[in-house]
Amino acid sequence: MTVSPMLVRLAAERATGALLRDHGTLYLVDGRVVHAESPAAPGLDVLLTTGGRLPREGWDEAVDRAGARREVGRFLVESGRLGDGELEICHLGAVFDAAFFALGPATGPTRFRYGVAHWFGPVRPVSTEAVERETVRRRELLDSVWPYGSVDTAPVVPRAPAPGQTVTLRQRALLAAADGVRTPAEIARLLGRPAFHTLLDVRRLAAAGLVETPPDPVAAVPPTVPAWVGEVAADPDIALLRRLRDALEASL
């Protein structure tokens, strides 16, 4: 299954640059994905600092000292703030997380800016096939758990558990952050968790009846008679023609 035909084409031509879509951006080097961003997913800075692995000032220093050279990742490792393997795992998780949303259904134009590079710098390039395959797998997993996508963007509203019903520690933290106003994306940032994993937890909670499932938006029912028909009927010239027709038919 092809999620983005343009991404396939860019991989084939070994392009370098930024693929801009409705819900995020993929950065490519020689046709392979090296970074991804999405407003729907916490950035690597949130995942590292909110999760407690890296002090905020350590991240800010890395960006200040190496961002202009596009070597933030390398600086974090060389300065001893993160291990090489640790950075690779964290970065890979962030790439797949943001790519899931960036490669979602798009209604606007998809554009590619050749030569654009991300300031973080490459860590471990990933093939476009792997990114697309993981994106499809995640979509199918969400629908297999609870096939109601309305919970993904609506405020998370907890419901009282049934007698004897239990939740995991992860789910308990999520429910504690669910105030009826925050969306899954906002909860993910608050807790410093990947957005997809938060969506998965929300769908599991919804399937268990512990989170409300809002109704899917109902499409407007088109009128049986187009609006212009009434406008035409009110036209005096049309009314005159109809009277003439009736008169002719009566004289036959």
Side-chain angles (χ1 to χ4, degrees), residues 4 6 19-22 106 108-112:
S4 170
M6 180 177 287
L19 177 65
L20 289 77
R21 290 171 57 88
D22 283 359
T110 297
R111 304 176 301 279
F112 188 73

Side-chain angles (χ1 to χ4, degrees), residues 107-164:
T107 57
T110 297
R111 304 176 301 279
F112 188 73
R113 297 177 58 190
Y114 284 92
V116 174
H118 194 272
W119 48 263
F120 190 81
V123 178
R124 179 185 177 184
V126 185
S127 70
T128 57
E129 294 87 350
V131 171
E132 288 204 328
R133 185 168 57 250
E134 180 62 13
T135 297
V136 172
R137 186 192 72 82
R138 293 186 178 203
R139 289 181 188 175
E140 293 173 347
L141 178 58
L142 286 177
D143 288 338
S144 70
V145 169
W146 190 242
Y148 299 95
S150 57
V151 300
D152 294 349
T153 54
V156 181
V157 180
R159 299 177 64 183

Side-chain angles (χ1 to χ4, degrees), residues 53-198:
R53 178 57 193 86
L54 184 70
R56 185 74 214 190
E57 57 269 20
W59 173 270
D60 292 339
E61 181 187 4
V63 173
D64 290 341
R65 296 182 59 179
R69 304 193 308 271
R70 300 186 179 91
E71 294 180 352
V72 173
R74 179 181 298 179
F75 181 88
L76 288 171
V77 173
E78 293 180 349
S79 63
R81 287 170 171 78
L82 291 175
D84 196 8
E86 185 178 19
L87 174 64
E88 186 175 307
I89 292 172
C90 292
H91 184 262
L92 192 62
V95 166
F96 281 124
D97 195 42
F100 172 77
F101 297 97
L103 292 176
T107 57
T110 297
R111 304 176 301 279
F112 188 73
R113 297 177 58 190
Y114 284 92
V116 174
H118 194 272
W119 48 263
F120 190 81
V123 178
R124 179 185 177 184
V126 185
S127 70
T128 57
E129 294 87 350
V131 171
E132 288 204 328
R133 185 168 57 250
E134 180 62 13
T135 297
V136 172
R137 186 192 72 82
R138 293 186 178 203
R139 289 181 188 175
E140 293 173 347
L141 178 58
L142 286 177
D143 288 338
S144 70
V145 169
W146 190 242
Y148 299 95
S150 57
V151 300
D152 294 349
T153 54
V156 181
V157 180
R159 299 177 64 183
Q165 194 171 17
T166 61
V167 296
T168 66
L169 288 175
R170 280 182 56 85
Q171 292 172 335
R172 191 175 303 145
L174 191 156
L175 289 171
D179 57 359
V181 177
R182 296 188 183 102
T183 64
E186 291 168 333
I187 291 176
R189 287 190 179 85
L190 179 67
L191 300 178
R193 295 179 179 176
F196 171 77
H197 294 165
T198 305

